[in-house]
Amino acid sequence: MEQPTLHRLEGISPRAFQHPADRAATAALAQIPGVDQVVRKLTELKYERALRQTYLANAVKIAPQQLPELWTVYERAGDTLDLPVLPDLYTTYFVEGPNALTIGAGRPIMVVSSQFVEMLDPDELWGLFGHELGHVLADHVLYKTTLAILLEFQGVLPFLIRLPYRAVLAVLLEWSRSAELTADRAGALACRDPLAYCRMLMVTAAGVPSSRLDLDAFLLQASEYQEWDSRWDRIMRVLAERRGTHPYAVRRVQQLMEWVHGGDYDRILGGQYPRRGESDLRGDTDKASQYYVDKMWNIYRDASDASQGFRDKVDGWLKRDGETPEPDEPGEAEEPG
């Protein structure tokens, strides 16, 4: 029996579901030196193309004739978010475990691990596809691709790309965690069931199908994590989370359900949301914007201070028009991390 396509959120703008932290962090990125320089340089050197080849080398493209049951769910996710053009979809085995990503700023592709495909039921998979398409709709893919390149090729990046590596990576990781909260909302909207989406996050955390797990217990766990009152433990959580591209699963569940209970989810399903092309009256004037500008600058400086002398030397090189810096003797240059 063919699954019905639920009503489409016609022309929905990403502003309808954008998390305030994502909105502010994205605005802050534009003010951080080095980020756009690294993005341009990686594009010039065709690292995006190399990353595509890395993921496609052993992947299978999903289509109406290849794993059609997955393609049907994928199309439904695109329909509900009103995306007329979908990225090409692939599946492959991820050594690091169940995961999905969307890369490629010009023409994105989506790659989903086969482990995820096997563990998720159709509604959970619908939410997962909605999450990844939320990244596309919210224009996250350029920075997401840059972050993926830095993580994948950090040991072989050219000399000039390594220069701001630590600082740019640190601010992109901070931004990425905020962007995931926006994509979580898109996933819940796509599958029309926040609890199904929370089950998907639970599967991500556990690595086993949701049929073997208890969602109520996981939601309680998320509440307990949020209410943990040890200041020291909270500080250690922040420091530990800074190393990841995604927030902890329990925090994502808590943030999503807080948004749902706040009423925005129901308002969007009721048709009350901004459309693409409408003027953004708020612009970048959210109260959180300056906070994230300051936060990004502090992260950038902290990541840069350890190699200040080296950076000053290269800054001098870069000011010499048309000159190419000679590498230092072995052992003097900063390692990429």
Side-chain angles (χ1 to χ4, degrees):
M1 179 178 177
E2 184 179 353
Q3 289 244 13
T5 298
L6 297 183
H7 73 278
R8 179 178 300 173
L9 296 171
E10 293 188 10
I12 187 170
S13 166
R15 292 186 290 110
F17 54 83
Q18 189 173 30
H19 193 283
D22 171 28
R23 185 183 188 86
T26 300
L29 270 185
Q31 303 187 42
I32 303 300
V35 175
D36 287 341
Q37 176 191 6
V38 168
V39 171
R40 287 196 303 272
K41 185 61 68 174
L42 291 173
T43 301
E44 290 171 10
L45 296 176
K46 302 187 184 304
Y47 268 84
E48 177 183 325
R49 189 171 176 177
L51 183 65
R52 283 174 180 265
Q53 296 305 309
T54 297
Y55 281 109
L56 299 184
N58 290 305
V60 171
K61 185 176 181 180
I62 298 174
Q65 299 79 27
Q66 187 75 273
L67 298 174
E69 70 280 7
L70 298 184
W71 182 256
T72 298
V73 178
Y74 185 48
E75 282 192 314
R76 282 165 49 209
D79 285 343
T80 53
L81 293 177
D82 196 20
L83 277 171
V85 179
L86 298 177
D88 288 342
L89 177 63
Y90 295 83
T91 186
T92 189
Y93 184 83
F94 282 8
V95 176
E96 63 270 23
N99 199 2
L101 77 161
T102 303
I103 58 170
R107 187 182 175 189
I109 64 170
M110 186 186 302
V111 186
V112 181
S113 70
S114 55
Q115 304 99 304
F116 234 168
V117 168
E118 292 299 317
M119 286 190 291
L120 299 178
D121 69 26
D123 285 343
E124 295 160 6
L125 194 61
W126 193 1
L128 173 66
F129 287 147
H131 173 102
E132 292 302 319
L133 292 176
H135 283 312
V136 176
L137 191 56
D139 289 327
H140 290 158
V141 184
L142 177 62
Y143 287 136
K144 280 286 185 182
T145 303
T146 301
L147 177 58
I149 291 171
L150 292 177
L151 293 172
E152 182 75 20
F153 298 109
Q154 56 183 290
V156 295
L157 290 175
F159 177 71
L160 288 178
I161 295 297
R162 292 191 192 186
L163 165 63
Y165 170 80
R166 292 181 188 275
V168 171
L169 178 61
V171 295
L172 283 176
L173 284 170
E174 176 66 28
W175 165 82
S176 176
R177 291 186 293 272
S178 300
E180 291 301 324
L181 301 178
T182 290
D184 286 340
R185 295 176 175 185
L189 288 168
C191 71
R192 294 297 193 278
D193 187 349
L195 294 182
Y197 189 82
C198 288
R199 291 203 310 269
M200 188 275 291
L201 291 176
M202 181 174 61
V203 171
T204 305
V208 297
S210 62
S211 59
R212 297 174 55 192
L213 300 168
D214 187 314
L215 180 60
D216 289 338
F218 188 65
L219 293 173
L220 178 60
Q221 175 184 336
S223 177
E224 291 173 348
Y225 182 85
Q226 178 66 19
E227 295 169 1
W228 196 273
D229 58 3
S230 169
R231 180 176 297 180
W232 174 253
D233 288 344
R234 287 177 178 270
I235 292 173
M236 296 306 294
R237 287 178 190 175
V238 171
L239 295 176
E241 196 174 45
R242 276 192 177 186
R243 295 191 291 268
T245 58
H246 292 58
Y248 292 137
V250 290
R251 179 167 178 259
R252 293 169 67 182
V253 165
Q254 181 271 327
Q255 287 282 308
L256 176 63
M257 295 310 296
E258 184 177 284
W259 176 69
V260 170
H261 294 151
D264 284 344
Y265 174 81
D266 288 332
R267 278 191 288 273
I268 292 173
L269 293 189
Q272 300 178 41
Y273 56 82
R275 269 67 174 177
R276 296 165 215 165
E278 292 179 354
S279 60
D280 182 1
L281 299 179
R282 290 183 300 171
D284 293 325
T285 59
D286 294 312
K287 294 181 180 178
S289 292
Q290 188 57 46
Y291 166 79
Y292 266 91
V293 169
D294 294 340
K295 184 174 184 178
M296 292 291 200
W297 267 104
N298 288 335
I299 292 173
Y300 188 91
R301 291 186 184 114
D302 288 347
S304 302
D305 283 348
S307 56
Q308 183 65 52
F310 175 71
R311 288 169 56 250
D312 288 344
K313 187 184 300 183
V314 179
D315 284 343
W317 289 334
L318 294 176
K319 290 177 182 177
R320 302 174 192 168
D321 293 337
E323 294 186 22
T324 301
E326 295 293 331
D328 287 338
E329 292 297 320
E332 292 186 13
E334 177 193 11
E335 290 299 318

